[in-house]
């Protein structure tokens, strides 16, 4: 989850998010370089240190056309690489359905048995000491770690959106439509997210909590919760 | 062929990638498998043949389709108002 006054991304917990964080660092460095250059030139101009009596500037025109084109290519190539990486076909180990309701999520694991449960936010009045306000839920989405997971996201009533920033996942939940997304968690842990599409009065109070554990614990949990 | 399908069913983990539905919108995938299962069942019952191969479609639609959708469609089929052709 985000710490207070956090500006940057949360630490990545999936390979795609790791790539996105690196790309963002790269893109921001490009932006910083260009802004610094512009600021420097602006300062020079304001101090009247930039003067020129050139009328024919073919060479410099060429440079400041080619260089931006190169910069754009340097941005586009990693961006497209990640885009295609996100579309890679990775046979999933598990299919999980997340259904948005007003104002809670319900999850279904129906590959083998009919396992389903609702996930409501824990109200602040019932929150144990030290737990995260407006983020904790009564039933977490338990998944096996380091396994490709396919998520099918939909909604029962209005638009919602299933988002977990640390996994790099945000997918709209649309009534009557099944949206597919996939991820692999790189480590065990508890990952928080919040509904990301305005859905009424309690839109801010239907969080998502994903619990990534080793396979044995996942199997243990799934056999216990369905009984 | 019957052994193949049984081996496939035994190895079933979850709905595999279906190249007919390569994109984000998997609605048709769920719908098609639901239809295919019931059509397969109906056809096998009409021929008096073994309906085990139909189980593949069952497992796939079970994995993909929300339970509420399946319940609704089952009710529609019973009432005779199911919109698909089975």
């Amino acid at each position: 989850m985000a710490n207070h006054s956090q500006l940057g991304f949360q630490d990545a917990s999936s390979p795609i998010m790791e790539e996105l964080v690196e790309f963002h660092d790269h893109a921001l460095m490009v932006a910083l370089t260009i802004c610094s250059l512009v600021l420097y030139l602006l300062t020079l101009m304001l101090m009247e240190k930039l003067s020129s009596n050139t009328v024919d500037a073919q060479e410099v025109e060429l440079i400041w056309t080619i260089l931006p084109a190169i910069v754009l290519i340097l941005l586009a190539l990693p961006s497209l690489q990640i885009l295609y990486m996100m579309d890679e076909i990775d046979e999933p180990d598990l299919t999980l359905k997340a259904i948005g309701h007003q104002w809670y999520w319900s999850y279904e694991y129906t590959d083998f048995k009919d396992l389903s449960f609702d996930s409501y936010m824990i109200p602040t009045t019932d929150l144990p000491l030290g737990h995260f306000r407006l983020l904790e839920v009564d039933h977490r989405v338990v998944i096996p770690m380091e396994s490709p997971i396919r998520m099918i996201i939909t909604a029962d009533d209005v638009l919602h959106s299933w988002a977990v920033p640390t996994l790099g996942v945000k997918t709209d939940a649309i009534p009557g439509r099944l949206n597919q997304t996939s991820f692999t968690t790189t480590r065990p842990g508890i990952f928080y997210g919040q509904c990301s599409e305005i859905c009424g009065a309690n839109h801010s109070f239907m969080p998502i909590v994903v619990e990534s554990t080793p396979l044995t614990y996942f199997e243990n949990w799934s056999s216990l919760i369905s009984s | 062929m019957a052994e193949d399908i049984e081996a496939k069913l035994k190895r079933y983990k979850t709905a595999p990638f279906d190249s007919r539905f390569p994109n984000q919108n998997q609605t048709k995938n769920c719908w098609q498998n639901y239809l295919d299962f019931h059509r397969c069942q109906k056809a096998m019952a009409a021929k008096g043949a073994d309906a085990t191969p139909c189980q593949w479609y069952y497992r796939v639609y079970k994995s993909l389709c929300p339970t509420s959708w399946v319940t609704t469609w089952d009710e529609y089929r019973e009432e005779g108002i199911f919109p698909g052709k089975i």
Side-chain angles (χ1 to χ4, degrees):
Chain A
M1 51 135 237
N3 294 103
H4 84 86
S5 70
Q6 178 170 333
L7 293 176
F9 290 126
Q10 297 178 27
D11 288 342
S13 301
S14 82
I16 295 289
M17 192 58 194
E18 285 173 12
E19 297 285 337
L20 286 171
V21 170
E22 267 182 47
F23 174 70
H24 183 258
D25 288 345
H26 169 72
L28 237 48
M29 185 55 80
V30 170
L32 180 67
T33 314
I34 294 169
C35 288
S36 312
L37 180 66
V38 170
L39 187 64
Y40 174 64
L41 292 174
L42 185 62
T43 321
L44 284 182
M45 268 188 249
L46 290 173
M47 297 194 303
E48 293 179 39
K49 293 273 166 51
L50 262 185
S51 62
S52 169
N53 45 17
T54 320
V55 290
D56 175 23
Q58 285 291 68
E59 302 83 8
V60 69
E61 288 275 351
L62 200 65
I63 292 169
W64 66 40
T65 307
I66 300 293
L67 234 49
I70 294 172
V71 168
L72 286 175
I73 291 171
L74 285 178
L75 283 174
L77 288 179
S79 175
L80 286 172
Q81 189 184 32
I82 298 174
L83 190 64
Y84 277 77
M85 209 183 286
M86 287 163 79
D87 266 350
E88 265 173 18
I89 297 156
D90 202 5
E91 290 291 352
D93 286 344
L94 177 70
T95 299
L96 226 161
K97 282 166 269 179
I99 300 156
H101 309 259
Q102 282 177 313
W103 288 281
Y104 63 98
W105 292 94
S106 65
Y107 300 101
E108 291 177 8
Y109 298 64
T110 49
D111 288 325
F112 292 95
K113 296 184 285 192
D114 276 338
L115 172 54
S116 68
F117 54 89
D118 296 338
S119 179
Y120 280 86
M121 182 187 85
I122 295 180
T124 311
T125 44
D126 300 340
L127 199 64
L129 212 58
H131 286 225
F132 302 128
R133 190 180 69 92
L134 307 184
L135 284 176
E136 302 284 5
V137 295
D138 52 4
H139 301 114
R140 296 175 180 157
V141 185
V142 182
I143 56 166
M145 61 181 267
E146 293 173 345
S147 305
I149 310 279
R150 174 207 269 126
M151 291 283 323
I152 301 278
I153 320 271
T154 186
D156 214 21
D157 36 33
V158 298
L159 296 180
H160 300 269
S161 185
W162 198 85
V164 183
T166 185
L167 301 175
V169 173
K170 184 181 288 175
T171 306
D172 283 354
I174 300 163
R177 179 180 166 117
L178 301 178
N179 267 343
Q180 176 179 268
T181 190
S182 59
F183 60 86
T184 307
T185 44
T186 50
R187 51 189 170 168
I190 303 174
F191 311 126
Y192 296 90
Q194 293 175 292
C195 178
S196 297
E197 185 66 47
I198 187 86
C199 54
N202 287 347
H203 156 68
S204 313
F205 310 117
M206 48 181 291
I208 296 135
V209 185
V210 175
E211 186 175 324
S212 166
T213 65
L215 187 59
T216 2
Y217 297 107
F218 169 72
E219 287 171 345
N220 216 24
W221 168 85
S222 67
S223 61
L224 286 172
I225 201 165
S226 52
S227 57
Chain B
M1 207 50 210
E3 287 97 340
D4 287 331
I5 189 72
E6 274 176 31
K8 258 178 99 177
L9 282 167
K10 250 180 128 177
R11 280 187 290 114
Y12 185 87
K13 263 194 309 185
T14 189
F17 171 72
D18 190 337
S19 55
R20 296 175 298 170
F21 314 104
N23 299 320
Q24 190 183 44
N25 188 358
Q26 294 289 299
T27 318
K28 203 72 189 293
N29 195 351
C30 146
W31 173 251
Q32 196 59 51
N33 278 286
Y34 184 85
L35 282 183
D36 287 346
F37 171 68
H38 289 98
R39 285 176 186 167
C40 174
Q41 257 203 330
K42 187 176 174 192
M44 294 304 190
K47 280 203 292 190
D50 175 31
T52 318
C54 306
Q55 279 301 307
W56 177 262
Y57 302 120
Y58 177 77
R59 296 298 297 272
V60 173
Y61 92 65
K62 260 291 179 157
S63 286
L64 295 174
C65 303
T67 321
S68 59
W69 289 21
V70 175
T71 318
T72 309
W73 292 339
D74 288 343
E75 282 168 15
Y76 285 173
R77 278 189 305 112
E78 265 162 55
E79 292 169 22
I81 53 172
F82 184 69
K85 187 165 166 243
I86 293 182

